[in-house]
Amino acid sequence: MASAGTTAVVPEVALRSGNARTAMPMVGMGTASFPLVHEAVKDAVLSAIEVGFRHFDTASMYGTEKPLGDAVAEALRRGTLRSREDLFVTSKLWCSQNHPDLVLPSLRETLKNLQMEYVDLYLIHWPVCLKPGPPELPTRKENAVPLDLAGVWRAMEECQRLGLAKAIGVSNFTTRHLDGVLAVATVPPAVNQVELNPAWQQRTLRAYCADRGIHVAAYSPLGGQNWDGQGSAVLDSEVLAAIAKARGKTVAQVALRWIHEQGVTCIVKSYSKERLRQNLGIFDWELTDEERLKISQIPQRKVVQTSSLFSQEGEFTAVDPAELNILEE
């Protein structure tokens, strides 16, 4: 997927499932933004397109489908983007939409927001089901209901059959949740998008997915912001900082390069045009074996805790939130 106006050539990975073009660029731009500012998201996407990004990640929950769609439409008008087919767009089904009869209507609403006829990848955002209603965080225990995973996955497969999603997958699924999908799937999930970075390496999950042909994509590849407000375990890592200094790279570039070398797609968010450009500068160099060893020894810490997303007032009837924090190292 060559990008006009930039020297960055982003490698692609062929996804296992999908009925049309299923080549996913190995770096994508994340659009989750809280609080949401429509024009800020739109301008950032336009900048990303200008520097060479062709993979964009959104979700119903984020509220960024509309600004992403507006940015793509504007880029097409400007000529900075030749056609919709040059893009890879991912969106996600929120927990309150995790009902067999709501999957297809939810995707149609996503496509309306995006001003597109299809998404390249549609994901179940979490293995959690809530009563239908507008998205809210944190959720409340009384809104939790059992997840009909088989029914939801059949509806996801129908979305693909109709050509509204070129490939389908999941997000935040542990190996146990993936076992459940694979037991009922006619079309297996193409992707599992999870928190993954040098400080949360997900070795067991990556091995599981590799054995089953499920591609792994990483959100929070730079560690995100620690919930205690004490910075980022990735960007503040002395190990990564030392490697970056020795190689003349940024810490972010070292982290993203390490993820790429694991065969994982990075979903990285930045609204700075210069950092967006830097985030694509990871494909013309390699880490040394010594550097890889040092990174493998970084203490592991999960940042995205489900307690911040799903109420801990009582156990969910669909899933115990603690199960989503299982250390699968």
Side-chain angles (χ1 to χ4, degrees):
M1 189 177 295
S3 302
T6 179
T7 57
V9 177
V10 179
E12 298 176 339
V13 60
L15 300 182
R16 174 179 172 180
S17 68
N19 55 9
R21 189 185 73 78
T22 56
M24 171 193 275
M26 291 289 284
V27 173
M29 178 189 174
T31 62
S33 181
F34 305 101
L36 172 65
V37 179
H38 185 105
E39 287 303 313
V41 175
K42 179 183 175 182
D43 290 346
V45 171
L46 284 168
S47 293
I49 290 172
E50 289 173 5
V51 303
F53 277 84
R54 294 297 181 265
H55 176 182
F56 295 92
D57 183 272
T58 184
S60 172
M61 179 64 204
Y62 302 161
T64 57
E65 292 171 337
K66 287 184 178 180
L68 172 57
D70 285 349
V72 170
E74 178 66 23
L76 289 169
R77 284 192 294 270
R78 293 181 183 178
T80 50
L81 189 65
R82 289 170 296 196
S83 72
R84 159 66 180 93
E85 286 67 36
D86 287 341
L87 292 182
F88 189 101
V89 176
T90 299
S91 194
K92 308 179 192 78
L93 180 79
W94 182 241
C95 304
S96 58
Q97 303 163 323
N98 245 353
H99 302 265
D101 61 332
L102 295 184
V103 175
L104 183 56
S106 298
L107 177 53
R108 291 192 188 279
E109 182 67 21
T110 281
L111 295 176
K112 179 182 177 182
N113 290 338
L114 289 168
Q115 304 171 54
M116 296 177 185
E117 296 181 355
Y118 66 91
V119 291
D120 296 274
L121 179 63
Y122 197 45
L123 305 177
I124 299 175
H125 206 150
W126 286 89
V128 171
C129 187
L130 302 173
K131 293 177 183 177
E136 62 174 5
L137 285 177
T139 61
R140 292 177 292 180
K141 70 169 185 176
E142 59 266 27
N143 288 336
V145 294
L147 172 61
D148 178 4
L149 184 57
V152 169
W153 191 253
R154 282 194 296 270
M156 294 286 286
E157 291 178 338
E158 177 66 6
C159 291
Q160 182 180 344
R161 189 189 69 79
L162 292 171
L164 302 179
K166 300 302 184 183
I168 53 178
V170 297
S171 180
N172 298 299
F173 273 47
T174 66
T175 58
R176 187 184 69 79
H177 298 120
L178 289 169
D179 282 341
V181 176
L182 293 173
V184 300
T186 300
V187 178
V191 170
N192 186 18
Q193 185 184 122
V194 297
E195 180 188 358
L196 191 153
N197 54 63
W200 189 245
Q201 299 183 10
Q202 297 268 34
R203 297 182 187 96
T204 298
L205 181 65
R206 283 192 281 123
Y208 175 102
C209 290
D211 287 345
R212 292 158 180 81
I214 301 171
H215 182 68
V216 175
Y219 70 78
S220 294
L222 303 182
Q225 178 71 32
N226 291 341
W227 298 126
D228 59 8
Q230 299 303 309
S232 161
V234 174
L235 295 180
D236 297 338
S237 166
E238 294 182 1
V239 171
L240 298 179
I243 294 171
K245 182 177 181 180
R247 301 298 298 274
K249 306 294 181 182
T250 67
V251 171
Q253 286 175 322
V254 173
L256 295 175
R257 178 66 203 185
W258 177 85
I259 294 171
H260 177 65
E261 290 188 8
Q262 311 315 303
V264 172
T265 293
C266 304
I267 306 299
V268 59
K269 188 186 82 172
S270 176
Y271 284 4
S272 160
K273 191 170 186 178
E274 179 56 31
R275 285 196 295 271
L276 285 166
R277 184 178 288 108
Q278 290 173 356
N279 290 342
L280 293 181
I282 64 171
F283 301 113
D284 58 353
W285 58 283
E286 294 182 1
L287 295 165
T288 66
D289 288 342
E290 181 182 2
E291 289 165 345
R292 295 184 189 106
L293 177 61
K294 290 178 180 178
I295 293 174
S296 74
Q297 297 170 340
I298 291 176
Q300 298 295 287
R301 180 184 181 191
K302 182 172 174 60
V303 171
V304 180
Q305 298 291 335
T306 54
S307 59
S308 68
L309 305 174
F310 304 112
S311 170
Q312 296 298 289
E313 296 174 14
E315 284 194 6
F316 277 78
T317 54
V319 64
D320 179 353
E323 292 179 352
L324 300 176
N325 288 331
I326 292 172
L327 306 184
E328 297 192 307
E329 284 300 300

